[in-house]
Amino acid sequence: DLHSLLNTDALGLQTAGLARDSVTRLLSILDHSHVPATVAGIPGARLSDQASLFGTIDFTPPSSTTGQAFNLTFNGSWSRQDPSGITTTELPAHSGERSNYYGGVQGRHSSYFGFGILTETNVGVNRMHFSGSPFVDLPSGSVRVNSTFADGLAGVQNVAFGGNPGMNISSTTTTGQFMNSLSWFSENNKHRLKFTTELRRDQYAQDLTANQLGSFSFNSLADLEAGRPAVFTRQLTPRARSESQWIGGMSLGDSYRPTDDLQLQYGVRLDGNRFSTDPLYNSSVE
């Protein structure tokens, strides 16, 4: 079950350091200011959904020297938390939904052309994504609530309302790869010449921009009712960054076995890398 500031009983609120009448007054102030305490679509229970998919498909020729062989492998997963992070000291609207997914597909092909020539090719793509989404697009607010209980004890607690300043973020990572190997075997099986080409692209993008709409902090319910925040902070520029790189390589080598007890491997290789980045730095104001 989902417990928040709206449905927690008096004993639970007192355990958290809040009195029922203080919560009632807070809700009245927010309602007068048209700040929603909850919105449609928020479930009554904390839900965590997960799904996964995986499999492989193979097609093979009758023998290693006839026909072509194909292999396809795929996998993926998805998960969601709805809502994420609600506590007894915040309103349901001051939260959101988090989700992420991962998926990948890999393909392999091999074929024997005769004359001692074998080709092997691998292609794959993988992608991972994480994101959060707030329930309401509003500035965030927090107020320090001083409560006095029937037994004479007192409590001080910060209560959060409005939108969530750290929920609207995302991150994506993508990788693609291609590799081909072309081999030639001598008739006496003493040489294997192998020419390999590789190409890979790595890319990621993230947007960690938080507090875009601003956050208000109030020292008391009276200050909240009068509209006198003690502190206001806001992110002025986005905290977004993206990077990518291309990696390529070629190699030519030979495996030479002059006798059954001796094997020599030698060759040359060339690698290249192209890297690019696009950072955006952040600033804030109080």
Side-chain angles (χ1 to χ4, degrees):
D1 294 339
L2 182 63
H3 294 284
S4 69
L5 200 63
L6 293 182
N7 60 5
T8 303
D9 58 22
L11 179 59
L13 290 175
Q14 183 174 347
T15 303
L18 293 168
R20 170 63 70 184
D21 59 345
S22 298
V23 175
T24 302
R25 183 185 176 192
L26 169 65
L27 295 176
S28 176
I29 296 173
L30 295 178
D31 182 65
H32 181 75
S33 302
H34 304 289
V35 178
T38 186
V39 293
I42 299 180
R46 191 185 305 274
L47 303 177
S48 178
D49 302 324
Q50 294 181 343
S52 61
L53 172 72
F54 56 91
T56 182
I57 301 173
D58 289 287
F59 174 80
T60 56
S63 68
S64 60
T65 58
T66 60
Q68 305 179 67
F70 297 91
N71 169 266
L72 179 67
T73 302
F74 53 90
N75 64 92
S77 63
W78 169 84
S79 65
R80 179 183 64 178
Q81 290 182 341
D82 184 21
S84 175
I86 291 183
T87 66
T88 56
T89 59
E90 66 179 324
L91 294 173
H94 189 261
S95 186
E97 177 184 293
R98 295 189 187 276
S99 63
N100 65 82
Y101 68 82
Y102 168 82
V105 179
Q106 295 81 36
R108 176 182 171 88
H109 167 259
S110 62
S111 177
Y112 183 76
F113 289 101
F115 306 101
I117 299 177
L118 173 68
T119 178
E120 299 171 288
T121 303
N122 291 275
V123 180
V125 178
N126 296 278
R127 186 179 181 89
M128 180 171 60
H129 178 75
F130 168 84
S131 64
S133 177
F135 287 137
V136 294
D137 292 325
L138 288 174
S140 175
S142 66
V143 58
R144 183 178 301 167
V145 178
N146 296 276
S147 302
T148 302
F149 306 107
D151 56 7
L153 297 178
V156 179
Q157 186 62 264
N158 284 321
V159 175
F161 56 90
N164 194 302
M167 189 66 68
N168 195 17
I169 60 176
S170 64
S171 176
T172 304
T173 303
T174 307
T175 300
Q177 184 172 0
F178 167 84
M179 184 175 68
N180 175 262
S181 297
L182 191 64
S183 302
W184 174 79
F185 299 87
S186 62
E187 292 186 2
N188 57 10
N189 205 28
K190 291 184 178 294
H191 287 273
R192 181 187 181 181
L193 291 174
K194 187 176 182 180
F195 178 67
T196 302
T197 55
E198 299 179 46
L199 182 63
R200 189 177 86 236
R201 175 174 168 80
D202 299 324
Q203 190 271 338
Y204 91 88
Q206 62 179 13
D207 187 354
L208 303 181
T209 307
N211 200 26
Q212 285 183 297
L213 300 179
S215 296
F216 296 88
S217 297
F218 299 86
N219 285 332
S220 66
L221 290 176
D223 288 346
L224 175 62
E225 188 171 22
R228 295 191 303 264
V231 177
F232 172 75
T233 62
R234 184 180 181 183
Q235 189 79 31
L236 295 180
T237 56
R239 293 183 59 194
R241 184 184 184 94
S242 64
E243 292 183 349
S244 63
Q245 66 174 346
W246 288 93
I247 301 175
M250 294 187 299
S251 64
L252 178 64
D254 181 27
S255 295
Y256 173 51
R257 184 185 294 274
T259 67
D260 293 340
D261 300 325
L262 178 64
Q263 178 175 296
L264 302 176
Q265 291 183 329
Y266 49 92
V268 293
R269 181 177 176 88
L270 176 66
D271 290 281
N273 184 304
R274 185 177 184 271
F275 180 83
S276 63
T277 180
D278 182 22
L280 294 175
Y281 300 101
N282 63 294
S283 62
S284 61
V285 65
E286 292 191 3

